Amino acid sequence: MCGIIGIIGKSDAARPLLDALRRLEYRGYDSAGIATLVNGGIERRRAEGKLDNLEARLKDEPVSGRTGIGHTRWATHGVPNEKNAHPHATDRVAIVHNGIIENFQSLRDELEAAGHRLASDTDTEVVVHLISLALEQGRGPEDAVAAVLGRLDGAFALGIIFAGNEDLMIAARQGSPLAIGIGRDERSGEMYLGSDAIALAALTNQILYLEDGDMAVMTPGGVTVYDRAGDEALRPVRESAVNAEAIGKGGYAHYMLKEIYEQPQVIGDTLHSFINPAAGTVTLPDFSFDVTKAAKFTLIACGSSFYACLLAKYWLETIARVPVEVDIASEFRYRNAAMPDGGVAVFVSQSGETADTLAALRYARQQGQKILSIVNVPESTIARESDAVLHTNAGPEVGVASTKALTTQMTVLACLTLAVARGRDAIDAKTEARLVVALTEVPARAADVLNHDERLKGIAAEIKDARDVLYLGRGTSYPVALEGALKLKEISYIHAEGYAAGEMKHGPIALIDDGVPVIVIAPMDDLFEKTASNMAEVMARGGRVIFFSDETGTKRFSGQTADAVALPAVDPFVAPILYTIPVQLLAYHTAVLKGTDVDQPRNLAKSVTVE
């Protein structure tokens, strides 16, 4: 969601702040701003809308100053306009904030009763006024911030600068991620603050991550971190693998298209971490517990990652013969769920910072579960709080709509399934080897799928004016149908729903007419005939079917469907990974034809770090 950047530099900070905010555009935002320290005072420039508006404002009203903070805001409290944009400031303090201050209203009432006049509708502004009040009462900056932090309920990541003190920046974290960057040359005295490593990619690769409850005091000489108790804490400096080149578009029109086309490579990179192709085996890293002895798996995630978990339920129950529960993190965390002794809870998150998923993880730990995370950011909070981590080698994903992160999550879960199945003797070595071969073929078959790009663009032209679209699938194709519908609605803004094909007769079939495209996901698996029957019911009622199968399947219905795409024939085990790619491309081309903002769809954020 919102993005933070802070710089204590040697030259004017405005341009580097703006450039860093551009690297954070993927997080989703609706206003932006920067503040710098100039001649003992605070200078601010803010703008509603995209960063181009802020850049135009800075061109007309430039600012200098070597120390500054910047922010891209995703509106929570208060509409997206300049008044509510960050940074918020008084004449003493300026701050940027990610998260939500849950008790802001009582704090606001207290401040207004004391004569403070707040200029915005945000929860954030109470923090800057409370710090200013503490400074007025004679506290120093560190003591003032520490005193205020103790009064805040909710989630926050804060970057704070102080008028008249160019050599100081204070950061604090509770619930929302925050990273501190150390200048490439330690003698340079440059220090950086960011909501993630991507923000800092062009500035430094030396990163330390704050823990919940931390307050960090940054100066040109380095950083001192204090924990929740006020004691000095050592946080390791890590070398980030993120680089500025990796987050460019690479000549593609959109990040999303680039990331779709990266899938053959990143799926292969992910498989390389787990598979010994010569031996035909899957090897997991050494865990502190035996994952194959789990009494039950509980898989928890949000958004597209939830669909990856739903797919894994089919795999783990069918192949590994182990009971599995799947839940959405925002629902699970409030159910007070009973969790069995000997259970393993698996948490799947691209960013590793998803607030609901992290809260669910902490509940599962309290219930005595072993914690296994599947994340794309090994330094993330979810990874650090897990007993074991499986890393998806997707690389930075900038487009808000998840593509390569999802298919690499599926790939990791497939490898986990085979390792658990073999460890429980649910499959023999021959079966494992056969399924490993199927997995190793996925990158090449994914590249073949991309050859259908122009065909899918043509189909997109046929559905772009639809008001509603249905996606149908059975078994492991059901999560693919759900994902296809999600992709279409989130970037093209067309209403779409995914259904288990067998559920059509229980209500959704009432929607069928020639104006509702029905996209059917049907690889040649054990359920193909069942899906084919459901598709026939749709066509009998005038439904316009777009059919995804392999050549054998599409020939069965030659001339009967409105459109059909013959995908490569693969083992049914890996088909859902492969069939996810064309529904991504279909959504992408539909959105492009409709003229929507593909990489930054309205109202959405990449990393959801608040409830």
Side-chain angles (χ1 to χ4, degrees), residues 382-403:
I382 287 175
R384 295 198 303 271
E385 295 194 16
S386 299
D387 297 309
V389 180
L390 296 177
H391 182 217
T392 59
N393 287 288
E397 186 178 72
V398 177
V400 166
S402 183
T403 53

Side-chain angles (χ1 to χ4, degrees), residues 486-526:
L486 176 62
K487 281 291 165 289
L488 190 69
K489 74 180 77 171
E490 67 183 341
I491 63 171
S492 76
Y493 315 147
I494 295 172
H495 174 252
E497 296 297 334
Y499 285 97
E503 284 295 294
M504 281 298 289
K505 296 185 291 294
H506 298 282
I509 202 165
L511 299 173
I512 298 301
D513 62 31
D514 60 5
V516 179
V518 180
I519 297 169
V520 178
I521 315 297
M524 290 298 294
D525 57 18
D526 291 344

Side-chain angles (χ1 to χ4, degrees), residues 1-4 21 23-31 71-77 97-100 155 176-177 195-196 350-351 353-356 400 603-611:
M1 300 181 84
C2 310
I4 285 175
L21 290 179
R23 291 191 292 276
L24 288 171
E25 283 190 294
Y26 77 98
R27 295 173 70 93
Y29 70 107
D30 39 48
S31 62
H71 193 263
T72 51
R73 176 179 185 253
W74 191 81
T76 54
H77 296 77
H97 165 224
N98 290 355
I100 292 176
S176 292
S195 43
D196 62 28
Q350 188 280 138
S351 67
E353 303 291 351
T354 310
D356 287 318
V400 166
N603 304 330
L604 294 180
K606 181 65 174 175
S607 180
V608 183
T609 55
V610 297
E611 286 193 60

